Amino acid sequence: MGTLLVLIVFALFLVAIFTGGYNKDLKGLLEKSTVWDWLTTVDHKKIGILYFFSGIFYFVVGGIEALLIRMQLVVPQNDFIVGDTYNELMTMHGTTMIFLAAMPLIFGLMNVVVPLQIGARDVAFPFLNALGFWLFTFGAILVNLGWFFGNAPDAGWTSYVSLALNEYSPGPGIDYYVLGLQITGIGTMISAINFLVTIINMRAPGMSFLRMPLFTWTTFATSALLLFAMPPLAVGLLLLMFDRLFGANFFDYTMGGSSIIWQHLFWIFGHPEVYIVILPAFGIMSEVISTFSKKRLYGYTSMVFASVLISFLGFMVWVHHMFTVGLGPVSNSIFAVATMTIAVPTGIKVFNWLFTMWGGEIRFTTAMLFALGFIPTFVIGGMTGVMVALPPADFQYQDSYFLVAHFHYTLVGGVVMGLFAGAYYWWPKMFGKLLNETLGKIHFWSFLIGFHLTFFPQHFLGLFGMPRRVFTYQPNVGLENLNLISTIGTIGMAIGVLAFAANVVLSFVKKEKVPNDPWNARSLEWTIPSPPPAYNFVQTPLIRGYDAWWIEKQAGNKSMKPAEPIGPIHMPSSTFVPFLMSLSLFIAGLGFIARENFAAGILGLIMFFITMFVRSFDRNHGCHIEPEEFDQANKGVKA
């Protein structure tokens, strides 16, 4: 039945491609609809908004999973969620937050902001940009389908073998994880390449590398990290798929394989992933603190080199996740030193932010409050990171709640608070409306207090011997009160997220628009209307230094000096092909998960390659917007 259904979909798919739609009139109506516009868009700003709201959705999903975990642990010997269900919940919480929430939120801000900051009208490859988003979307759906078909992934977000092999995880749960993450990973790789080429090739005249804003620099560093970190994960997932679906023995030690290979492949990706998500947050901090301190970023050049050094050292520390595996004292010592060394460029950033604020005219907006809350919170996470970098100490901390506290202080206290700061800062540029500051401050204080109540006690839970991933614990051993406090803290975080949700809804309801530059900011994105037109800049601006917009304002200019005369602007055309290509891989993934036979999976791959083939004959190279079509209010690059 399943194969028959896929065959019908396949036939309709071919008809749609080769006829341009089932009905020309229906196709015309669809093309005029808002839904069709968003499904087929290649506008980097719209794709950024799609990424951003997808990330918010999965952040809420992951948050609900976290609340359920804490409800189970609120009292000892609770039976609210136990056994396999708890393992699935724990696995999906980590997988969702790392791969499906943090990454799209980051890519959302990158897509909206980076082309504007470098004076570009679009990204280098608009088609690939859309393809990257839809691959992420369908991969994320595939990862979560296990919830609806009775068997979600249950081997932890790291999916360690041999636990993830058929013998110990016999259902299709791990297959959803393996195939879903492979699809999202392809999209992530495409996006990384796109940002690298965009930043290298599409900067406005005069914008050298050492004149780029820090957020663009951290996007560049993150994209380079992804380029080298994703292939090891892709290889590991491919080998695990062969072990589970085709009877290979790459990781089965009873058949000559090695489970340690998976750990190496996963953490060669997994630890750079920490910097992949935190570096953009560092860039956001730099933009926000500089703007709301009304000062040039202190030590700009050292911040750039610190970002590059973090990227380089990020690939030399993965074994600190494996100190207890038995690699030996020499290996452990080398990676311990590398891990402690990476704290140095991070410290440079923290002190530069503090020196930027020193003597500045600080405005305590919501974005600035999140930036201020970020600094001590992330420093605590960094300090505990140095603690677990010591192999003898790590033998005591490993697999305890101390590690849970450590990585939540870096990934939630760092990444999430950074993303909230970026959301409040760039929201007017994305949507032309300000978020409410009162609700924003409620969001900040409830989230910050709730966060520390939740995760600070977990350091002591770990020191008192509570192992992570357990769904219950014994009474009268000193763990009850700390677990109760930790669960109460999640309520504060939930209130904060609800305040943010209310703020978002309120911003769309209210009518008033904001000016181009509501923050009196410093970089190019604030020189154009809010929200920006499809073409971003009527005339490409000429850059005269770092903080290009601030330089012009200080010189008394009300607009950027153009680097070109007004003329026609080329824009790419919308296309539904990225959606169809991603749908094809989704069908292929479902087909391989079915296992009875792989006909549906092979058909999905055939659909994918047919779509690629048809795309290669696409002669629609976009259109030109003529000067007389420009909105008169948008002429010039005005504040």
Side-chain angles (χ1 to χ4, degrees), residues 3 38 75 120 166 173-174 214 219 228 268 292 316 332 393 396 419 458 476 491-493 543 565 581 602 610 634:
T3 303
W38 285 88
V75 293
N166 287 324
I174 304 299
L214 248 295
T219 297
F228 292 101
I268 289 172
F292 295 115
M316 302 173 65
N332 285 357
Q396 304 302 316
L419 287 169
Q458 292 182 9
N476 304 317
I491 298 172
M493 296 174 71
I543 309 304
M581 292 176 72
I602 294 169
I610 287 176
N634 294 339

Side-chain angles (χ1 to χ4, degrees), residues 92-107:
M92 287 304 297
H93 166 66
T95 303
T96 299
M97 285 302 200
I98 293 291
F99 294 105
L100 311 183
M103 292 299 293
L105 284 168
I106 288 165
F107 275 121

Side-chain angles (χ1 to χ4, degrees), residues 285-354:
M285 292 301 102
S286 301
E287 303 291 334
V288 170
I289 289 172
S290 178
T291 294
F292 295 115
S293 299
K294 207 172 179 180
K295 280 180 63 181
R296 177 188 168 99
L297 184 67
Y298 184 90
Y300 167 80
T301 306
S302 67
M303 294 286 268
V304 169
F305 283 101
S307 300
V308 174
L309 188 57
I310 287 171
S311 303
F312 176 74
L313 291 175
F315 281 98
M316 302 173 65
V317 298
W318 81 88
V319 169
H320 70 217
H321 293 273
M322 302 168 59
F323 279 154
T324 59
V325 165
L327 299 180
V330 174
S331 174
N332 285 357
S333 299
I334 291 170
F335 283 92
V337 171
T339 303
M340 288 182 274
T341 302
I342 207 168
V344 175
T346 306
I348 289 172
K349 288 181 173 289
V350 171
F351 282 108
N352 282 356
W353 293 326
L354 296 175

Side-chain angles (χ1 to χ4, degrees), residues 369-429:
L369 287 175
F370 271 106
L372 292 172
F374 168 98
I375 293 174
T377 305
F378 184 77
V379 167
I380 292 172
M383 290 168 60
T384 54
V386 174
M387 291 172 68
V388 298
L390 301 169
D394 188 67
F395 270 73
Q396 304 302 316
Y397 301 136
Q398 66 105 16
D399 268 340
S400 76
Y401 257 79
F402 187 90
L403 290 183
V404 176
H406 157 64
F407 65 68
H408 279 88
Y409 261 82
T410 55
L411 294 179
V412 179
V415 177
V416 174
M417 291 186 72
L419 287 169
F420 280 136
Y424 280 93
Y425 182 59
W426 281 305
W427 195 268
K429 187 53 58 181

Side-chain angles (χ1 to χ4, degrees), residues 18-47:
F18 290 111
T19 67
Y22 309 121
N23 179 283
K24 297 295 182 183
D25 295 332
L26 176 62
K27 183 171 181 285
L29 289 172
L30 282 174
E31 289 177 346
K32 295 177 183 177
S33 68
T34 303
V35 173
W36 182 264
D37 177 42
W38 285 88
L39 286 176
T40 62
T41 186
V42 294
D43 184 341
H44 71 93
K45 298 175 291 295
K46 289 183 177 180
I47 291 171

Side-chain angles (χ1 to χ4, degrees), residues 70 453 457 460-461 464 478-487:
R70 288 312 316 168
L453 275 178
F460 299 98
L461 285 172
F464 294 165
L479 303 178
E480 299 97 319
N481 292 335
L482 290 172
N483 271 298
L484 176 62
I485 293 169
S486 185
T487 300

Side-chain angles (χ1 to χ4, degrees), residues 123-136:
V123 292
F125 306 116
F127 177 89
L128 288 184
N129 202 24
L131 179 60
F133 169 74
W134 289 113
L135 286 170
F136 158 78

